[in-house]
Amino acid sequence: MEGSFHKEALSLNLYLKLDHGAGKEIDLTECPRKKLKKQCVKYLGPIERNQYEYVVAEGKIVHNQSRHELHTIEGSEGPKTKWIFVMSPSGRLYIGKKEKGKFHHSSFLAGGATIAAGSLEAEHGFVKLISRYSGHYQPGDDSLERFLSFLREHGVNLVGVQMSCTSNALGQEGSFASVALSSPQERRSSIASSRHKN
């Protein structure tokens, strides 16, 4: 027991030296410090996390503090912004814009456990598209089902919502299917059949 504690303390000490001690000035040509700083994924603390919390009110997804409706649909000019979400084990929903190399699914809960993760699109609070893709969490069909159940239990109408139930190792999303499902059994059946088509 004492040996593992000692190894952990040495490891922590190494990271402290690299981040705050003499090691913070090390700059390798193979991996410059400037490049490392650009690739740091932000992890939110409990207070910062509140800025990203959304709730369902009257069938719409709204920001928990401001009560503004979630609106991710942008004009056709410029690159499309990807909006990502995670649902915490306590059932809290966090949504934000993905920033490659800076803000990912793991940012919301500081790499902690989730019960659902993916991306979505919403128009004035109404969900239009849901994908279960997350490179960090790699959610399965059960994760998507939990998220759909959460939305349905909170009054979100899922008729006509496009869903992606597949993902691959290259980080690309699968095909989208429009759904009009009323029961959990119908949703599970649709998820399973879309998985077999791809």
Side-chain angles (χ1 to χ4, degrees):
M1 184 75 169
E2 188 177 312
S4 66
F5 174 77
H6 183 67
K7 284 181 186 176
E8 195 173 307
L10 285 175
S11 176
L12 180 60
N13 193 18
L14 171 65
Y15 288 113
L16 287 172
K17 284 182 181 177
L18 289 174
D19 290 341
H20 305 288
K24 73 179 181 182
E25 302 302 323
I26 294 175
D27 197 16
L28 304 173
T29 53
E30 310 84 55
C31 191
R33 175 74 50 182
K34 188 175 182 179
K35 181 179 178 183
L36 284 174
K37 291 222 182 263
K38 285 184 181 178
Q39 295 177 344
C40 289
V41 174
K42 181 173 181 64
Y43 276 7
L44 301 175
I47 294 170
E48 293 173 298
R49 193 174 296 139
N50 291 333
Q51 301 174 60
Y52 296 89
E53 186 175 355
Y54 283 78
V55 295
V56 178
E58 299 176 16
K60 295 180 180 182
I61 297 179
V62 298
H63 191 267
N64 189 42
Q65 294 174 341
S66 71
R67 301 317 249 194
H68 289 128
E69 297 168 345
L70 179 64
H71 188 75
T72 67
I73 312 293
E74 300 169 1
S76 58
E77 323 76 55
K80 189 174 180 181
T81 301
K82 185 174 186 175
W83 286 76
I84 56 176
F85 74 89
V86 301
M87 196 160 63
S88 75
S90 63
R92 292 179 184 261
L93 178 61
Y94 300 99
I95 302 172
K97 293 179 184 180
K98 179 174 181 168
E99 292 181 59
K100 189 172 182 162
K102 294 184 185 222
F103 196 86
H104 296 192
H105 290 96
S106 59
S107 297
F108 295 109
L109 301 174
T114 68
I115 57 173
S119 60
L120 55 72
E121 290 181 8
E123 191 169 16
H124 304 293
F126 293 107
V127 179
K128 298 296 180 186
L129 180 146
I130 300 169
S131 167
R132 70 168 172 86
Y133 179 74
S134 165
H136 180 84
Y137 291 108
Q138 300 184 2
D141 293 340
D142 58 331
S143 173
L144 178 60
E145 181 57 38
R146 282 189 296 270
F147 187 57
L148 294 176
S149 293
F150 167 83
L151 293 174
R152 204 169 213 17
E153 288 167 13
H154 288 85
V156 174
N157 182 355
L158 297 175
V159 174
V161 174
Q162 293 182 332
M163 287 186 227
S164 173
C165 303
T166 60
S167 62
N168 64 34
L170 299 176
Q172 299 170 338
E173 295 183 36
S175 61
F176 289 92
S178 192
V179 296
L181 309 173
S182 58
S183 72
Q185 292 80 14
E186 287 176 326
R187 287 194 304 278
R188 279 192 288 278
S189 174
S190 176
I191 289 168
S193 68
S194 76
R195 184 176 57 221
H196 295 295
K197 289 178 187 175
N198 294 314

